[in-house]
Amino acid sequence: MAKRKIFAENSVRLTVNGQVYDLDVGAKSGQIDPSHALVYTLRETLGLTGTKAACGQGACGACTVIMDGKAVNSCKILTIECEGKSITTIEGLRDPKTGALDPLQQAFIEHAAFQCGFCTPGIIMTSKALLNENPHPTEDEIKEALSGNFCRCVSHYHVVRAVLSVAESGRQTDERQL
């Protein structure tokens, strides 16, 4: 079995929110440990703390990011497995030129689809991936897509309404970074 490129070069290159990162792999200061999950690298190495670390087992959805167009649990993926991947975090949804919120983020505000906000980034990223794949999902399709995201303090009714409002209004943004 051939070794992966990443081990031969002791580095990993990934694109996060449109920015390319070359990360050295190793145990020294300034390097990413081969055992680090993507959520750790995003938060601790790159300073992108919008992605939340919670269960560490892929069961709650708080760490959801979009990788190559698909919603993934970043706690279940090693950073070294992300060679050549394009990743979008909650911070990457803002318009890079104007700083305006993504229509989905704005809809969550308009529909009070959050309370404490801890799980909100994961729910938004899951919803964004759904809308990119299916711009006009049904309520049942939204519920199915969000079935892996758990929140203890808000009714998912508000979340579903926010996602539906974007789908129905056509406010979906382009896939500029996804």
Side-chain angles (χ1 to χ4, degrees):
M1 176 180 244
K3 289 188 177 184
R4 292 182 59 205
K5 175 182 167 190
I6 183 167
F7 287 69
E9 295 182 11
N10 293 323
S11 67
V12 62
R13 174 177 273 197
L14 58 143
T15 303
V16 180
N17 300 332
Q19 184 174 342
V20 176
Y21 292 91
D22 288 307
L23 304 171
D24 291 330
V25 177
K28 295 179 183 175
S29 179
Q31 295 179 325
I32 59 165
D33 189 286
S35 67
H36 282 169
L38 178 59
V39 67
Y40 182 90
T41 301
L42 292 171
R43 292 180 58 76
E44 303 301 326
T45 304
L46 303 182
L48 298 169
T49 57
T51 302
K52 304 303 181 210
C55 74
Q57 300 173 1
C60 71
C63 68
T64 303
V65 297
I66 298 174
M67 180 183 297
D68 291 342
K70 301 288 183 194
V72 298
N73 292 322
S74 63
C75 72
K76 298 293 291 180
I77 299 170
L78 296 175
T79 304
I80 61 172
E81 295 176 301
C82 297
E83 171 68 31
K85 302 291 185 185
S86 178
I87 299 156
T88 303
T89 69
I90 191 74
E91 292 92 346
L93 293 186
R94 278 187 181 264
D95 184 296
K97 292 178 184 160
T98 67
L101 293 177
D102 183 88
L104 186 57
Q105 292 171 303
Q106 187 61 46
F108 268 62
I109 293 168
E110 293 167 4
H111 291 271
F114 58 89
Q115 281 187 359
C116 83
F118 186 83
C119 63
T120 305
I123 292 172
I124 289 175
M125 298 310 291
T126 299
S127 300
K128 183 70 174 172
L130 169 66
L131 289 171
N132 286 341
E133 186 175 308
N134 178 2
H136 302 288
T138 65
E139 186 170 332
D140 286 341
E141 289 169 328
I142 294 168
K143 289 176 182 178
E144 176 66 26
L146 293 172
S147 65
N149 294 86
F150 297 103
C151 176
R152 293 183 174 185
C153 61
V154 70
S155 165
H156 278 277
Y157 169 79
H158 297 288
V159 171
V160 172
R161 287 281 138 229
V163 177
L164 276 173
S165 75
V166 174
E168 292 169 352
S169 71
R171 293 190 293 172
Q172 176 69 353
T173 59
D174 63 14
E175 297 180 30
R176 64 182 173 270
Q177 297 174 355
L178 306 180

